[in-house]
């Protein structure tokens, strides 16, 4: 974390959010591949264990980011990063086909970014 302190706050926030999203995506969806035949409660416990690392990055990201971003801006930023992490994960790790719907969803998020940051 000390290496991040030399970076601008928006970049610190984005890097922590990207890292937390990788853990979040594995926690929420990784069990579909790795624990597909395990009972749901085993998958839930494994997901909770992974999610701990997500929270260890997400909480500092929001605390650092809130010094320069509003809560709404942080949330929209998080959603954009979520889609940017999720699409390659779904395609490369889970073998899901890429769909045009991801592009359309991304364009909707571009609109969300515009509206939430236009007054900044």
């Amino acid at each position: 974390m000390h290496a991040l302190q030399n970076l601008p706050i928006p970049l610190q926030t984005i890097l922590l959010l990207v890292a937390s999203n990788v853990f979040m995506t594995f926690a929420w969806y990784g069990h579909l591949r790795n624990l597909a035949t395990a009972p749901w409660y085993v998958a839930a416990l494994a997901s909770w264990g992974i999610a701990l690392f997500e929270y260890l990055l997400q909480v500092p990201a929001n605390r650092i980011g809130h010094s320069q971003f509003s809560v709404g801006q942080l949330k929209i930023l998080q959603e954009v990063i979520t889609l940017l992490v999720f699409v390659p994960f779904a395609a490369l790790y889970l073998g899901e086909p890429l769909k045009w719907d991801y592009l359309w969803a991304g364009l909707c998020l571009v609109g969300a970014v515009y509206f939430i940051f236009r007054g900044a």
Side-chain angles (χ1 to χ4, degrees):
M1 288 288 249
H2 292 292
L4 285 175
Q5 292 175 345
N6 297 328
L7 299 174
I9 288 183
L11 186 56
Q12 289 179 42
T13 304
I14 289 168
L15 290 173
L16 286 168
L17 288 175
V18 168
S20 78
N21 251 279
V22 170
F23 283 105
M24 178 191 73
T25 302
F26 270 97
W28 286 11
Y29 303 103
H31 63 87
L32 296 175
R33 174 177 163 180
N34 299 356
L35 299 171
T37 59
W40 72 266
Y41 52 85
V42 171
L45 289 172
S47 293
W48 283 346
I50 295 168
L52 170 65
F53 295 100
E54 181 230 338
Y55 281 100
L56 291 174
L57 296 166
Q58 177 77 25
V59 170
N62 284 332
R63 291 175 71 109
I64 292 166
H66 194 250
S67 68
Q68 286 198 316
F69 297 114
S70 70
V71 174
Q73 289 170 332
L74 282 169
K75 181 59 180 166
I76 297 302
L77 188 58
Q78 171 68 25
E79 295 304 327
V80 169
I81 291 168
T82 297
L83 189 61
L84 291 172
V85 169
F86 177 77
V87 172
F89 176 86
L92 300 174
Y93 190 76
L94 295 178
E96 296 278 324
L98 288 177
K99 298 179 181 180
W100 284 104
D101 293 340
Y102 294 128
L103 175 63
W104 309 140
L107 290 174
C108 289
L109 286 175
V110 168
V113 168
Y114 169 76
F115 286 114
I116 203 73
F117 282 93
R118 71 179 165 167

